[in-house]
Amino acid sequence: MITQSASLLKSLRREAVALFLEGVAAANPEQAVAAALAERSARLEQASRIILVAFGKAACPMARAALPFVGERLVTAIALTNHENLESIDGVEVIAGGHPIPDEGSIAGAAAIEEAVLCAQEGDLVLVLVSGGGSALLCAPSPGVELTDKIALNDALIRSGADISEINAVRPIFSRLKGGQMARLAGKAKVLSLILSDVPGDDIDTIASGPTARPRSSACRALEVLDKYGLWQNLPAALKCRLEQMNAMTDATATDFDNVENIVIGSNAISLRTVVRKAETEFGSVVHASDWLEGDVLDAAAELHRIARAAAESNGPVAVVCGGETTVKVRGNGKGGRNQELALYFALLNELQPIDRQWVFLSGGTDGLDGPTDAAGGIVDQGSPDWIRQQGHDPVSSLETNDSYHALACSGDLLITGATGTNVADIQIVLMS
C-alpha cells in the first residue's frame, strides 16, 4: 500500500524532473541557432564563402541547425564534440574528443578547425558555433607543449577546486586557439560566433576560453590562479617556460576585432527564467535563490538548505530555484560529480536541521553528464540518507571519499537523462508541499 506521504514525494519528484527538463529545453541549441541565423540572413548572403566550425557538447545540433542557412556558400564544415554527443551529419566532418580531459581526438579536431579557419579570405564569413565543454575539446597546445602536459594541468585544475572562470584564465596561455587567437587566424574574413553560455555573467572571454573574444592579458591572472591552488611548483617545465614567455609579452590588443561579432544565444539565466515561469503556475511561492550558485559544493549546499528552510515558512506549495556551477575539492578516489555531491550533502544537512515539510531537492547538469558519470546529478528527499544506509552504504563516508554516485545509485536517487546535446551549467530545484 502506498502511503499518502510516499505518493506526495513521488509527485514532487516528477514535478522537479519536469521543471529541470523545461530548463534544458530552453537551451535547445538547434532552435537558438536557427533563430539567430534567421535574423542575420542578409549577412550570410553577403559572404563570398562560408566556413563553419562548431565545438562543444552541442556542436552537432548547432551545426545541423546552421546548414539550411549557409547553403551553397559553404566550403567547409567541422563539428568537434564529446564522445557521448557524437552523431553523423551529412556535409559535416564530425570529430569526437575527450571531455573533461582532452585526448588525441581533441587534438585532431582542434587541428582541423585551425586549418579550416586559416583558409578564410577577405569576403568570407567564418561561422563559429560555441557551446559548453568547448575549452577542453578544442585542444591545440602551443609550441613546445605536449598533450600530456595539458592533460596533467587540466586534471590538476579540476581537482584543485578552482572555478570555471579561474580554470579558463589559465587555459588560453597554453593554446593556439583560445583567448581570441581563433579570430586572429581568420585574418580579414568576417567572424560570426554564436554562443551557448555555461559561465556566470555570460562572459565571452570565459566561455570555451574565448577563442573569438577580444583577448585580455591573462598571464598574470593565470599565475595568480596557479599560485592560489598550489599548482605552480609541480607545473611541467614546458608549461612554466610558456607562462614565463607570455608574462613578458604585452601585445594583447594589437589585433583589431571589428570584424568579429559574438552573440550569446542561450544561457543558464535564460533557462532559469523558464523554470521560474513554469514553477509559478504550480507553486504559490517561487524563490529565485541565486543568479549564479558557485564556490565549494559543500558551502553551496549549506546555503541552499538555509534558503529552503526559510522558504518553508511560507504558506502553500513552495519552489526554490537557482543555477550555476559549483566546485568539488577531490579528496578520495570515489565516483561522482558536483551535482551528486550537492544533492547528497543537502540530504545529510537536513538530518541535522530538518525542513518541516515534505520536500525534494534536484541538482543536475543541463548537459546530462555530471563529472565522469552517466548521471546528470541527483534527486533526494528526507528519506534518502536512511535508504542509503539500509543498502549498506554510509552516506557520510561516501561524501568524504567523493563517492556520491554509488551512494545515490543504491537509493535510486540518481538523476539519469542521458546526454542532452546542450550545456548551460547546472540547475537546482527544491520543491515543498
Side-chain angles (χ1 to χ4, degrees):
M1 177 179 175
I2 299 176
T3 65
Q4 184 177 2
S5 174
S7 177
L8 180 58
L9 279 177
K10 286 186 176 180
S11 177
L12 287 175
R13 281 175 169 260
R14 286 194 298 268
E15 289 180 89
V17 173
L19 285 171
F20 174 75
L21 294 178
E22 288 274 353
V24 172
N28 182 286
E30 293 184 73
Q31 294 177 11
V33 168
L37 292 181
E39 293 177 0
R40 293 163 179 81
S41 57
R43 183 169 180 183
L44 298 177
E45 292 171 1
Q46 291 169 1
S48 300
R49 305 184 309 162
I50 295 176
I51 296 166
L52 187 159
V53 296
F55 47 92
K57 295 179 182 179
C60 288
M62 292 179 83
R64 184 171 54 245
L67 289 178
F69 294 89
V70 298
E72 295 180 357
R73 291 178 175 82
L74 182 68
V75 293
T76 304
I78 300 171
L80 171 60
T81 193
N82 56 320
H83 294 277
E84 294 84 354
N85 286 316
L86 182 69
E87 58 180 284
S88 177
I89 306 172
D90 288 342
V92 180
E93 180 184 0
V94 181
I95 303 170
H99 184 278
I101 305 300
D103 61 13
E104 291 296 339
S106 308
I107 293 282
I113 287 174
E114 181 179 26
E115 182 179 353
V117 175
L118 273 170
C119 291
Q121 304 169 9
E122 187 172 2
D124 290 347
L125 174 68
V126 180
L127 179 58
V128 184
L129 308 176
V130 186
S131 55
S135 190
L137 288 164
L138 194 71
C139 186
S142 53
V145 175
E146 299 293 333
L147 175 59
T148 52
D149 292 332
K150 290 203 69 172
I151 290 175
L153 174 62
N154 198 58
D155 187 51
L157 284 166
I158 291 171
R159 289 175 170 271
S160 72
D163 64 34
I164 189 62
S165 296
E166 291 173 318
I167 291 173
N168 283 345
V170 176
R171 283 170 166 166
I173 300 300
F174 309 106
S175 173
R176 304 191 307 274
L177 295 175
K178 298 182 176 74
Q181 295 181 85
M182 178 181 291
R184 283 176 169 159
L185 292 179
K188 294 183 178 181
K190 299 290 186 181
V191 177
L192 174 60
S193 188
L194 305 183
I195 303 167
L196 283 178
S197 170
D198 63 342
V199 303
D202 302 334
D203 182 3
I204 60 171
D205 299 283
T206 303
I207 304 164
S209 300
T212 60
R214 186 182 295 274
R216 297 174 179 173
S217 181
S218 58
C220 289
R221 175 61 177 149
L223 281 167
E224 290 174 2
V225 173
L226 293 169
D227 284 337
K228 176 181 177 180
Y229 293 99
L231 302 178
W232 170 257
Q233 185 175 355
N234 295 321
L235 205 65
L239 299 189
K240 284 186 177 181
C241 180
R242 172 67 176 176
L243 190 52
E244 289 167 350
Q245 290 173 350
M246 292 298 292
N247 196 37
M249 296 173 62
T250 58
D251 186 21
T253 59
T255 300
D256 186 353
F257 274 65
D258 290 343
N259 64 323
V260 181
E261 183 179 8
N262 292 290
I263 305 167
V264 174
I265 60 172
S267 69
N268 189 261
I270 293 172
S271 289
L272 285 185
R273 287 198 293 271
T274 300
V275 173
V276 168
R277 284 195 299 267
K278 181 64 174 179
E280 286 173 343
T281 66
E282 305 289 338
F283 293 82
S285 176
V286 178
V287 178
H288 188 167
S290 172
D291 288 331
W292 188 263
L293 186 70
E294 61 184 347
D296 182 81
V297 67
L298 303 184
D299 295 334
E303 177 64 9
L304 269 180
H305 186 259
R306 182 193 66 76
I307 292 172
R309 291 186 72 234
E313 298 177 4
S314 303
N315 294 323
V318 179
V320 178
V321 177
C322 69
E325 189 168 296
T326 57
T327 57
V328 173
K329 180 70 174 180
V330 178
R331 302 170 298 277
N333 296 316
K335 181 179 181 180
R338 60 179 179 264
N339 288 290
Q340 293 161 67
E341 290 211 4
L342 186 56
L344 181 57
Y345 192 50
F346 187 99
L348 288 171
L349 287 171
N350 193 71
E351 290 190 315
L352 302 175
Q353 294 182 304
I355 297 172
D356 192 23
R357 289 209 193 189
Q358 293 274 59
W359 60 268
V360 298
F361 171 60
L362 178 152
S363 184
T366 54
D367 61 352
L369 302 168
D370 185 36
T373 76
D374 60 353
I379 177 168
V380 295
D381 56 51
Q382 54 262 49
S384 293
D386 275 345
W387 274 109
I388 292 170
R389 294 184 186 102
Q390 289 178 32
Q391 301 304 314
H393 287 258
D394 178 359
V396 175
S397 176
S398 296
L399 194 65
E400 290 173 346
T401 58
N402 303 110
D403 199 29
S404 53
Y405 179 92
H406 291 109
L408 295 175
C410 74
S411 60
D413 289 332
L414 287 175
L415 175 65
I416 305 288
T417 65
T420 65
T422 191
N423 183 21
V424 290
D426 305 332
I427 294 174
Q428 288 81 32
I429 300 168
V430 185
L431 300 183
M432 292 176 276
S433 62

